[in-house]
Amino acid sequence: MPPEIDLARRGLLRGKIGATPPVVQLPWSVDWSAFVSGCTRCGDCLTACPEQIVVLGEGGYPTVDFLRGECTFCQQCATVCKAPLFRPTTEAPWRYKAHIEASCLASAQVFCQRCQDSCEPRAIRFIPELGRVPTPTVDDQRCNGCGACVQDCPVGSIKVDGRSVALG
């Protein structure tokens, strides 16, 4: 059996100090530095997630992978955690929003509206344009950052992150 690798030490040798914040943290989780300080990497949140979108990220810390599916905001990850790593679930789960990249099929004049069809809060709408296929827009007021659109996009043109919103 090979010896266990100390990921923190290996990162230090590569010039990394601490785990890099993931693109998407778990819903209701505290800021990344506090999360990393208190997380034991027990894996309870991974097994508790019914959608199986909570995965091990860098350093063995849990993160969300929308390529596996959407977050239903079931609160299981926050409920099962024994450490004080989560804000009250009465607050907004996070401030992430969907962004449609330039590689969207509509940019290439290919008709596709799968993201709109998968968007339960109806945050993604397609605007008709004369002589062109409809182009998508995201209503930041309606988007809850659930990630349903990410997995549904056939070309991977949708990202969910905190780009346009300050994370807190």
Side-chain angles (χ1 to χ4, degrees):
M1 187 170 204
E4 193 169 317
I5 297 171
D6 182 353
L7 296 175
R9 185 174 175 191
R10 184 173 73 184
L12 181 62
L13 294 173
R14 290 184 177 168
K16 289 184 178 178
I17 300 176
T20 306
V23 174
V24 179
Q25 285 184 241
L26 275 56
W28 296 286
S29 60
V30 296
D31 73 37
W32 185 244
S33 59
F35 189 87
V36 170
S37 296
C39 180
T40 63
R41 298 178 269 192
C42 66
D44 287 350
C45 54
L46 277 74
T47 56
C49 179
E51 305 304 323
Q52 299 180 336
I53 63 168
V54 178
V55 297
L56 288 181
E58 184 179 320
Y61 295 102
T63 185
V64 174
D65 181 1
F66 288 131
L67 292 176
R68 297 170 151 254
E70 69 181 288
C71 182
T72 59
F73 306 109
C74 68
Q75 305 175 2
Q76 291 302 307
C77 57
T79 303
V80 74
C81 185
K82 294 166 189 67
L85 301 177
F86 293 88
R87 296 176 287 108
T89 56
T90 54
E91 296 179 14
W94 53 37
R95 294 184 179 151
Y96 299 125
K97 303 293 179 187
H99 302 280
I100 300 172
E101 307 283 320
S103 58
C104 174
L105 289 173
S107 298
Q109 294 303 297
V110 176
F111 185 84
C112 174
Q113 294 188 356
R114 288 178 63 179
C115 56
Q116 176 179 274
D117 296 342
S118 65
C119 185
E120 193 173 313
R122 297 288 183 226
I124 300 176
R125 303 302 244 165
F126 279 77
I127 300 170
E129 293 183 41
L130 192 59
R132 299 182 51 86
V133 299
T135 55
T137 61
V138 178
D139 180 346
D140 282 348
Q141 298 301 311
R142 294 186 113 171
C143 180
N144 62 12
C146 72
C149 54
V150 173
Q151 184 185 33
D152 235 11
C153 181
V155 293
S157 294
I158 303 177
K159 308 292 184 233
V160 172
D161 57 35
R163 246 188 288 191
S164 67
V165 183
L167 298 176

